[in-house]
Amino acid sequence: MERDIYLSLIKIMKKPLITKSVKKNATIFTVVLFIGYLIFNFFTVLQINYYFIDNVDTRLKHEVEHISVNIVFNEDTIVVLNGKEFEEFDMLHISDNSFFLQIYNIDKELLFQSKNLETFQNLPIRIIEFDDKFLFTNEKVDFKGLRVCYSKIINEGKLLGYIQLATPKTSVNSAIEGIISFNLLTLPLAFILFLIVSLIFAKRSLKPINKIIEIAEEITATNLSNRIDYEADTEDELGRLKATLNDLFNRLEFQINQISQFSDNASHQLMNPLTAIKTELEYILKKERSADEYKETLETIDEQTSEMINIVRTLLILAKDCAVCTDSSKVFSLTNLLQNEIMEEDKNNRVTISIPENIYLKGEADYFKMVLENLINNALKYSSEKSEVKVIVEEKTNSIIISVCDNGIGIPDNEKSKVFDRFYRGSNVESNGIKGHGLGLNLVKIVVNKMGGSITIIDNKPQGTIFTLEITRLILE
Ligand code: ADP
């Protein structure tokens, strides 16, 4: 118990607090938030500036309209009625709210000027073209930012002069400057805040993945039959990750079980001939034996060794899933293989072969020979000693049909698909005392499938079995 706690503590301590992924995500979040913050501030300043300027313009417009009332026309000339009207505080002194007023004709002759312009000189007199009633501009006079409003003086459609009214932008500028310096000051603070928020967010977003990793680690370390039971929506990434991992564990468990079953069965199959050899040797070595007895023992050992070689050879092919069986560049003559090589092995003349001339197949002849040997040997093995086994090859338009027919013990219907499983032996064979390892048909199926063919089993009439292979035909030009 204490050891478990100690191990979990070490495990926790070993884990970095901020992993590379968290750092990466947090950096991206921070940069995005920070850029967003800068853009937001920029537009806020623009908006505020616009709002202040709009206020100033309304003030200027209002004042210019008031001034216009005090102007009369004498044919082509402008007369300013009562200059005293313009002696308000804002036109006499210089302050942040002052108005600087100039009224002039199109020859740039000044007709009126507010008192404060005697001190604050240099406001330029301009003749400007514009269509609207008012024109607003920004000017800089003696390093002072001004908002200037121009209004045309028109009599009977004729332009006679301009009213020019300016006011300092000091209040607008200082407000904007205030906002900008506040923003600059809070920038580092905002950055730190964004960084912390991003770190927390990045860590939180990876939390479910960490949970799944923990469970997966536990599964691989302790029990492969456990599964990730983390609650997650099957549609989202976490749900799919969970499903994919569970699927992977299923396949792993299945494969591992298969491998262990395979090695169990393989050892078991090899154990029989090895035990037979051992028993034979123990018996013969007990005392001095005759030459005939020694010969007999050596023959038994030879027989058992051949059996073991056969088993190991088959197991080697099966373990690699017969990767070499599909060499499509190779071609062999089925007619030759059956009529010569297979026929030679038929010592008891029980096999009859019927095959047209010049039948060729694509693939490795050695492996296909093993297929035929397994089917023919089974047909011989599972039928009475004198009965005949027929191998019939027929041509179809695109394929070759090979049938191996016997009159033997047959295969029960419910076992016809199972006999291809590795190490499977029929329920009726043990009672008949027929020896075998349950590997032959598995090899047959793998090789035939690799060659793109198929295999089926049907009952022979009145008794026995017919194995039928259908393989794509190779037509040589
Ligand atoms: P083995 O013959 O060594 O047992 P196989 O893989 O060649 O292994 O065959 C698997 C099983 O299929 C056999 O145990 C047997 O039950 C059945 N079988 C195969 N061929 C025949 C056949 N021609 N007639 C009857 N049963 C057969």
Side-chain angles (χ1 to χ4, degrees):
M1 180 70 181
E2 275 174 16
R3 195 172 163 270
D4 282 355
I5 298 171
Y6 173 72
L7 284 176
S8 344
L9 270 177
I10 290 201
K11 216 169 148 190
I12 293 168
M13 279 159 70
K14 263 192 188 167
K15 272 188 200 162
L17 193 65
I18 298 172
T19 59
K20 271 189 180 170
S21 299
V22 172
K23 263 189 222 162
K24 200 173 135 195
N25 287 354
T27 314
I28 296 170
F29 291 151
T30 311
V31 170
V32 170
L33 280 175
F34 198 63
I35 292 175
Y37 178 73
L38 288 180
I39 294 174
F40 174 76
N41 275 343
F42 175 74
F43 282 107
T44 312
V45 168
L46 273 190
Q47 189 67 31
I48 291 172
N49 184 42
Y50 175 79
Y51 170 77
F52 276 113
I53 293 285
D54 198 47
N55 267 356
V56 171
D57 290 356
T58 314
R59 258 183 77 220
L60 284 170
K61 243 195 269 176
H62 183 77
E63 199 61 30
V64 168
E65 271 162 2
H66 176 69
I67 291 161
S68 315
V69 184
N70 286 294
I71 290 171
V72 288
F73 307 100
N74 184 1
E75 292 185 358
D76 278 1
T77 53
I78 313 159
V79 180
V80 177
L81 269 189
N82 187 1
K84 288 232 175 334
E85 278 289 316
F86 309 126
E87 286 186 359
E88 291 167 15
F89 181 84
D90 290 342
M91 289 201 196
L92 293 176
H93 303 278
I94 298 176
S95 72
D96 285 353
N97 294 319
S98 299
F99 284 124
F100 303 109
L101 170 68
Q102 294 191 131
I103 300 172
Y104 49 86
N105 64 19
I106 49 168
D107 299 323
K108 289 194 176 179
E109 286 165 356
L110 202 58
L111 304 173
F112 180 81
Q113 192 177 47
S114 61
K115 278 268 183 332
N116 48 16
L117 278 174
E118 285 165 16
T119 326
F120 182 74
Q121 296 167 340
N122 301 334
L123 182 65
I125 292 176
R126 296 188 200 283
I127 302 295
I128 313 173
E129 294 250 331
F130 58 95
D131 293 333
D132 292 341
K133 202 171 168 201
F134 300 101
L135 172 77
F136 294 94
T137 61
N138 295 312
E139 312 238 352
K140 229 181 180 106
V141 177
D142 296 343
F143 303 108
K144 209 174 174 75
L146 295 176
R147 185 76 176 160
V148 187
C149 173
Y150 292 89
S151 171
K152 289 182 264 190
I153 304 169
I154 297 172
N155 186 28
E156 290 170 0
K158 196 173 175 199
L159 176 68
L160 300 177
Y162 292 92
I163 299 171
Q164 181 196 48
L165 188 68
T167 186
K169 282 204 302 181
T170 331
S171 54
V172 178
N173 286 348
S174 58
I176 301 294
E177 273 161 24
I179 294 165
I180 291 176
S181 47
F182 175 78
N183 276 341
L184 284 177
L185 272 176
T186 53
L187 221 57
L189 269 178
F191 185 80
I192 293 169
L193 187 77
F194 291 154
L195 191 67
I196 296 171
V197 169
S198 302
L199 274 173
I200 296 172
F201 186 68
K203 248 189 120 54
R204 272 187 77 101
S205 65
L206 291 175
K207 209 173 162 187
I209 295 184
N210 278 328
K211 184 85 196 143
I212 288 180
I213 292 172
E214 265 169 37
I215 305 175
E217 274 174 354
E218 230 173 80
I219 292 173
T220 39
T222 54
N223 189 354
L224 209 60
S225 58
N226 277 354
R227 291 293 172 266
I228 297 169
D229 52 4
Y230 185 81
E231 282 289 323
D233 189 341
T234 46
E235 295 295 311
D236 76 11
E237 288 80 0
L238 288 177
R240 279 164 49 210
L241 177 68
K242 172 188 148 182
T244 312
L245 283 177
N246 278 344
D247 197 40
L248 176 73
F249 290 135
N250 284 342
R251 277 182 288 141
L252 268 180
E253 193 185 8
F254 177 75
Q255 300 270 351
I256 289 173
N257 285 343
Q258 281 246 334
I259 291 168
S260 91
Q261 208 184 357
F262 182 77
S263 44
D264 269 10
N265 286 330
S267 329
H268 184 73
Q269 299 299 336
L270 287 172
M271 208 49 152
N272 291 343
L274 280 171
T275 315
I277 293 173
K278 179 88 177 131
T279 318
E280 197 67 34
L281 287 173
E282 275 173 2
Y283 167 77
I284 203 83
L285 290 172
K286 258 190 187 151
K287 56 176 184 165
E288 209 46 42
R289 305 277 178 189
S290 68
D292 279 352
E293 278 177 307
Y294 283 126
K295 194 175 169 228
E296 209 175 296
T297 301
L298 286 175
E299 273 169 6
T300 313
I301 292 175
D302 181 44
E303 203 178 289
Q304 297 297 341
T305 317
S306 302
E307 196 180 327
M308 282 203 301
I309 290 174
N310 220 350
I311 296 172
V312 173
R313 197 164 68 132
T314 312
L315 285 177
L316 281 175
I317 298 170
L318 294 180
K320 286 188 186 147
D321 203 20
C322 199
V324 284
C325 301
T326 40
D327 192 345
S328 57
S329 63
K330 292 197 175 163
V331 171
F332 65 92
S333 159
L334 181 65
T335 316
N336 182 42
L337 183 66
L338 273 169
Q339 282 178 344
N340 301 318
E341 299 184 38
I342 299 286
M343 274 311 266
E344 261 174 38
E345 290 171 13
D346 179 31
K347 303 277 183 271
N348 299 325
N349 285 332
R350 285 176 59 195
V351 183
T352 56
I353 294 177
S354 143
I355 179 167
E357 286 304 308
N358 297 328
I359 300 285
Y360 292 93
L361 292 180
K362 256 189 191 178
E364 277 280 352
D366 285 350
Y367 292 104
F368 200 68
K369 187 179 171 192
M370 287 170 82
V371 168
L372 295 172
E373 279 172 348
N374 268 298
L375 292 176
I376 295 170
N377 287 341
N378 277 350
L380 294 169
K381 190 163 77 169
Y382 296 112
S383 48
S384 63
E385 275 186 19
K386 293 220 169 86
S387 72
E388 191 189 44
V389 168
K390 278 188 200 153
V391 180
I392 303 160
V393 180
E394 294 160 290
E395 291 175 277
K396 285 209 167 169
T397 328
N398 296 317
S399 60
I400 298 291
I401 309 285
I402 306 168
S403 308
V404 179
C405 326
D406 66 55
N407 303 304
I409 59 172
I411 301 175
D413 275 346
N414 60 340
E415 292 181 38
K416 283 197 172 69
S417 59
K418 291 187 198 158
V419 289
F420 294 105
D421 292 349
R422 205 166 288 178
F423 299 110
Y424 186 86
R425 301 213 67 216
S427 55
N428 54 350
V429 296
E430 298 289 352
S431 54
N432 283 304
I434 310 169
K435 291 219 164 85
H437 307 286
L439 290 172
L441 286 186
N442 188 240
L443 178 96
V444 168
K445 190 181 169 196
I446 288 176
V447 177
V448 171
N449 285 349
K450 287 269 166 176
M451 289 173 74
S454 60
I455 180 162
T456 45
I457 305 176
I458 50 166
D459 292 330
N460 201 0
K461 297 280 173 308
Q463 72 172 69
T465 313
I466 302 176
F467 279 87
T468 310
L469 307 184
E470 180 160 10
I471 297 180
T472 315
R473 187 180 165 177
L474 179 71
I475 298 165
L476 293 179
E477 302 287 309

